[in-house]
Amino acid sequence: MDKSLKGKTNKYIIAGSGDYGRRALTYYGNDNVEFFMDNDPKKQGNYIDGIKVCSFELLRDLSDQYRVIVAVKNYEAVVSQLTGFNVNDYIVFSPIVAEIIENIPRPEKNCGIILFGYDIYTRQIIDGVIKEGWKEDSIIIAERKRIIENKQLQSCGIKDIEQIDTESNVVMVSSVIYAYGIEQYKIRNKMRTKKWINPFLEESYYPKDKVIINTYTSDAVETTEEKWIKDRNRTEARESLEDYYFELNEELPIFSHIEIETVNRCNGKCSFCPVSVGHDVRTYAVMEDKLFYKIIDELEELDYRGRIALFSNNEPFIDKRIIMFHEYARRKLANARFHLYTNGSLLTLEKFISIIEYLDELIIDNYNQELELNDNSRIIYEYIKKNPELISKVDIVIRKENEVLSTRGGDAPNREVKISYDDVTCTHPLRQMIIRPDGKVSLCCNDPYGRATLGDVTNNTLKEIWYGEAFSKIREQLKGGRGNISYCKYCDFFGCK
């Protein structure tokens, strides 16, 4: 157990009484929780499963007696509040981490656990596995030298990541920071391990057990431009990019994500999108059949097994060939993961039934300011309820046309404030290939107007372009950050997917 927790009671205080707080109560158990804390006066004084919700002010007198569990999705504000109360001893709870702890094998003789990376959830993992019977001396934190030298870690053993390639009888658990970088270790067989557990690697964009996704009904607050900018400063987001960039650039694999835009038009009117009606400045273009088949055939020769999308900055169902194209591509690329985004306005039930067999994931962005299902979405949802085997393949996301999202490389129409992220790297040019209808290859998915061109598939093979001079130059420039590339300077997309 962490030395800082010695002397405390075995009882917990849960900071947050929303969805995460309730999940934390289930995880830790009613008998082990003394009370909830919440900043909302309307919740204070209420009870959740017999546990009282109190004010944060109680921490001033009780923080040295109880262990504090931060159980909110956006934990930064609560952590800041705890720091203001001089409370530095807390565990940040994640339902995902709670689930993976249950999947970690029971302790075996001469077997250990390596926590691949130290982040905000590490303490929850350590606390959880010790409860499951693992000894503290069997837990090792693997980190980069620069992190080890600059961060006070817990009392478990610490090893340099580069020095653990001989381990074998261990369970490897990845942190959120290294969720994508660790995949490169696996691919290159840099580590031998008893079991890999990588809970933060997201194959799907949304949970597979739900069809209707409505973030507006959760504890989340609607994003403002100010909040979006603040969220870009999250340490783990930047560190994840740095690590994944390092691993990909060390031994560059073929792209793992390809988007093929067959027609460069959208019929949506979203205020945040550079290619929505009224904002699109592109010359209308449609991909020739011959070019599309050439691309798919080359992917077949590469035995492509990554993510493929037959859309990019467009509405795919504007192209009447889209179902035929999916049928051909799926037949040629049986091991690839097909996903498709659509606003659903042109997606009839007949088209849905025709295309869904070729997809692994269909995401319908249901734009409605009143947060109601549009007619096509409602019909498809009713069909899915009668065919539950489709639940894991379809997400209908309730959205508003007026949202604040990324700057899209500085081109988003509804973003007023531009902030440069000169020192932040990016993994897109190490993972993505984005092909426009004329065969030109864009910088990335956040280059909606195709301002940068890194190749032309009408003249060169996909592999020649991927390992060619233009891509190589961009990757080299990104070592020093986005400030080295004019198109990237104001891009605030920090994801690894």
Side-chain angles (χ1 to χ4, degrees), residues 46-102:
N46 295 331
Y47 287 81
I48 298 175
D49 291 341
I51 308 297
K52 189 175 183 179
V53 181
C54 302
S55 166
F56 265 76
E57 292 296 323
L58 280 175
L59 273 181
R60 297 185 186 277
D61 301 320
L62 300 177
S63 63
D64 60 341
Q65 299 177 36
Y66 297 94
R67 303 172 66 184
V68 179
I69 308 298
V70 178
V72 293
K73 186 175 183 179
N74 298 313
Y75 57 81
E76 294 91 344
V78 173
V79 167
S80 177
Q81 192 171 4
L82 295 180
T83 303
F85 287 145
N86 294 316
V87 177
N88 298 307
D89 178 19
Y90 54 83
I91 293 175
V92 176
F93 170 82
S94 165
I96 296 175
V97 173
E99 290 176 10
I100 66 140
I101 289 172
E102 295 179 359

Side-chain angles (χ1 to χ4, degrees), residues 49-320:
D49 291 341
I51 308 297
K52 189 175 183 179
V53 181
C54 302
S55 166
F56 265 76
E57 292 296 323
L58 280 175
L59 273 181
R60 297 185 186 277
D61 301 320
L62 300 177
S63 63
D64 60 341
Q65 299 177 36
Y66 297 94
R67 303 172 66 184
V68 179
I69 308 298
V70 178
V72 293
K73 186 175 183 179
N74 298 313
Y75 57 81
E76 294 91 344
V78 173
V79 167
S80 177
Q81 192 171 4
L82 295 180
T83 303
F85 287 145
N86 294 316
V87 177
N88 298 307
D89 178 19
Y90 54 83
I91 293 175
V92 176
F93 170 82
S94 165
I96 296 175
V97 173
E99 290 176 10
I100 66 140
I101 289 172
E102 295 179 359
N103 292 323
I104 292 176
R106 300 290 297 175
E108 296 179 10
K109 187 176 182 180
N110 299 322
C111 182
I113 293 178
I114 291 182
L115 304 182
F116 197 88
Y118 180 91
D119 62 23
I120 198 72
Y121 303 119
T122 301
R123 292 189 63 180
Q124 183 188 347
I125 296 176
I126 293 174
D127 191 54
V129 298
I130 288 176
K131 282 184 180 180
E132 294 298 319
W134 290 88
K135 301 297 183 183
E136 188 174 357
D137 59 8
S138 67
I139 304 170
I140 293 173
I141 298 173
E143 255 299 1
R144 303 227 180 268
K145 286 183 179 179
R146 62 181 172 82
I147 302 296
I148 292 173
E149 293 168 356
N150 295 297
K151 188 175 290 185
Q152 182 66 41
L153 302 182
Q154 293 180 233
S155 55
C156 301
I158 302 171
K159 278 191 178 183
D160 182 351
I161 282 176
E162 299 300 325
Q163 304 300 317
I164 61 173
D165 58 330
T166 59
E167 300 287 347
S168 57
N169 196 29
V170 296
V171 177
M172 189 75 68
V173 183
S174 175
S175 66
V176 64
I177 289 175
Y178 294 130
Y180 291 86
I182 198 173
E183 291 302 295
Q184 296 305 309
Y185 276 75
K186 291 169 64 176
I187 290 169
R188 297 178 196 137
N189 294 317
K190 292 178 71 172
M191 297 180 193
R192 296 188 299 277
T193 179
K194 182 183 183 69
K195 183 179 179 69
W196 292 94
I197 298 178
N198 196 355
F200 298 101
L201 184 70
E202 300 170 335
E203 184 181 57
S204 300
Y205 284 90
Y206 295 98
K208 292 183 177 181
D209 59 345
K210 295 181 180 179
V211 176
I212 305 295
I213 310 293
N214 186 356
T215 59
Y216 290 95
T217 61
S218 70
D219 293 337
V221 178
E222 189 168 346
T223 300
T224 62
E225 187 166 17
E226 181 182 15
K227 184 177 184 299
W228 182 278
I229 292 172
K230 184 178 179 180
D231 286 348
R232 299 311 93 186
N233 293 317
R234 292 176 61 176
T235 302
E236 64 265 32
R238 297 185 180 222
E239 289 184 348
S240 295
L241 279 174
E242 290 176 8
D243 175 70
Y244 198 25
Y245 179 93
F246 174 84
E247 289 303 331
L248 287 168
N249 199 54
E250 186 178 72
E251 186 180 327
L252 184 67
I254 198 69
F255 47 86
S256 58
H257 178 111
I258 185 169
E259 295 179 9
I260 305 170
E261 186 178 79
T262 63
V263 57
N264 65 350
R265 279 295 178 273
C266 184
N267 59 354
K269 298 179 181 180
C270 304
S271 65
F272 54 81
C273 183
V275 300
S276 59
V277 174
H279 296 116
D280 200 344
V281 299
R282 300 174 296 180
T283 300
Y284 179 71
V286 177
M287 181 173 286
E288 294 181 359
D289 291 11
K290 182 180 179 181
L291 178 58
F292 176 81
Y293 296 133
K294 173 184 183 294
I295 294 168
I296 299 301
D297 291 346
E298 283 190 30
L299 290 171
E300 182 185 28
E301 291 176 8
L302 292 170
D303 190 23
Y304 182 71
R305 295 169 178 263
R307 187 186 293 271
I308 181 170
L310 305 190
F311 79 98
S312 187
N313 288 286
N314 69 312
E315 164 51 49
F317 286 95
I318 287 179
D319 191 335
K320 296 181 179 179

